[in-house]
């Protein structure tokens, strides 16, 4: 079984999501051969030295639980999202995860998939594409990572606020994948089944590209009260909800 998930946006400010994810890592993920986290595992990632922050063990705790899963025999693969695009080699080493390029073609004997966070295909959002090009440039990354951790944490928080504010001004169209860019992407990737996240609009789409039927599966974002992964059993997909464990109910009259 392969699992695909994305857009957890883990942060110390969302303890419910963290709980769901850690329970998943210790539970259902163990029965998967591999899990693929397709971006935005973290709400923000200021750099891999977040793992050394004496003030905050959140990053270490998550990396170590991923490592426990990897050590149990489940492969862990992670793609960058638009929030955690600075995840690097030290994170990969500590967590036991493999960092995948975006897009990544996953060829299985029975089927071909192409995995992506999805933000690169939101080409109607020119401001965002300019930002994306900037932060992915090696020179920008090197200069940013040379700044002190506290300064980068503040910059990441400011970026987040700006992105939330600009999201409110943008049309629904600009926040979704561009149809022509998506068709072209599917064509260039041999009409493989596309799995992506980013838009927070879980759905199954059917594309007809050059007369060929192509599937596109959009992963769900995680909420405090609900997580989700998409499972591939070698033949078909199924979505699995992850819900908080209910507090034990007291028998009537026992209070
Ligand atoms: Mn995203």
């Amino acid at each position: 079984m392969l699992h695909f998930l994305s857009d957890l946006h883990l942060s110390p400010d969302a303890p419910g999501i963290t709980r769901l994810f850690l329970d998943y890592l210790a539970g259902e993920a163990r029965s998967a051969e591999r899990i693929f986290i397709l971006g935005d595992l973290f709400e923000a990632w200021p750099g891999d030295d977040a793992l050394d922050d004496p003030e905050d063990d959140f990053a270490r705790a998550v990396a170590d639980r991923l490592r426990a899963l990897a050590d149990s025999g489940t492969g862990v693969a992670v793609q960058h999202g638009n929030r955690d695009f600075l995840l690097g080699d030290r994170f990969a080493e500590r967590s036991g995860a493999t960092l995948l390029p975006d897009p990544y073609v996953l060829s299985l004997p029975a089927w071909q998939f192409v995995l992506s966070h999805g933000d690169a295909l939101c080409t109607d959002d020119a401001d965002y594409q300019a930002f994306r090009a900037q932060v992915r440039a090696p020179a920008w990354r090197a200069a940013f990572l040379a700044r002190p951790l506290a300064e980068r944490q503040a910059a990441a928080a400011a970026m987040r606020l700006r992105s939330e504010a600009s999201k409110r001004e943008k049309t629904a169209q600009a926040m979704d994948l561009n149809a022509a860019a998506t068709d072209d992407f599917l064509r260039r990737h041999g009409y493989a089944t596309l799995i992506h996240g980013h838009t927070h609009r879980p759905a199954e789409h059917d594309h007809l590209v050059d007369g060929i039927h192509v599937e596109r599966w959009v992963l769900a974002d995680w909420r405090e009260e609900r997580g989700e992964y998409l499972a591939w059993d070698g033949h078909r997909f199924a979505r699995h909800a992850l819900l908080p464990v209910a507090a034990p109910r007291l028998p009537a009259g026992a209070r």
Side-chain angles (χ1 to χ4, degrees), residues 7 9 38-40 81-83 117-119 128 197-200:
D7 301 283
H9 296 270
L38 305 188
D40 289 351
N82 52 304
R83 303 302 190 106
H117 182 54
D119 55 319
Y128 172 68
H198 183 62
T199 61
H200 299 193

Side-chain angles (χ1 to χ4, degrees), residues 54-78:
E55 305 290 313
D56 185 358
D57 67 354
F58 184 77
R60 280 191 296 282
V62 173
D64 291 349
R65 298 292 286 271
L66 280 166
R67 160 66 71 174
L69 175 67
D71 286 347
S72 80
T74 295
V76 178
V78 174

Side-chain angles (χ1 to χ4, degrees), residues 40 42 44-51 79-92 99 131 134-138 140-146 149 152-153 155-156 159:
D40 289 351
F42 292 99
W45 190 261
D48 284 355
D49 52 353
L51 294 165
Q79 263 179 338
H80 292 109
N82 52 304
R83 303 302 190 106
D84 52 11
F85 54 86
L86 288 172
L87 285 171
D89 293 341
R90 276 202 52 217
F91 167 79
L99 291 175
F131 168 81
Q134 178 192 38
V135 302
R136 291 188 174 235
W140 185 93
R141 294 169 72 103
F144 186 76
L145 289 172
L149 177 61
R152 278 177 278 131
Q153 283 165 333
M159 267 184 232

Side-chain angles (χ1 to χ4, degrees), residues 84-159:
D84 52 11
F85 54 86
L86 288 172
L87 285 171
D89 293 341
R90 276 202 52 217
F91 167 79
E93 215 170 283
R94 179 148 186 155
S95 64
T98 304
L99 291 175
L100 299 179
D102 183 353
Y104 177 78
V105 175
L106 174 66
S107 280
L108 302 178
W111 207 253
Q112 183 127 11
F113 301 96
V114 56
L115 314 179
S116 177
H117 182 54
D119 55 319
L121 292 172
C122 297
T123 54
D124 291 332
D125 189 347
D127 293 346
Y128 172 68
Q129 293 304 329
F131 168 81
R132 187 174 190 276
Q134 178 192 38
V135 302
R136 291 188 174 235
W140 185 93
R141 294 169 72 103
F144 186 76
L145 289 172
R147 290 159 62 180
L149 177 61
E151 215 178 295
R152 278 177 278 131
Q153 283 165 333
M159 267 184 232

Side-chain angles (χ1 to χ4, degrees), residues 33 41 69 195 227 251:
E33 181 191 324
L41 170 61
L69 175 67
I195 309 175

Side-chain angles (χ1 to χ4, degrees), residues 31 77 194:
S31 60
L194 170 58

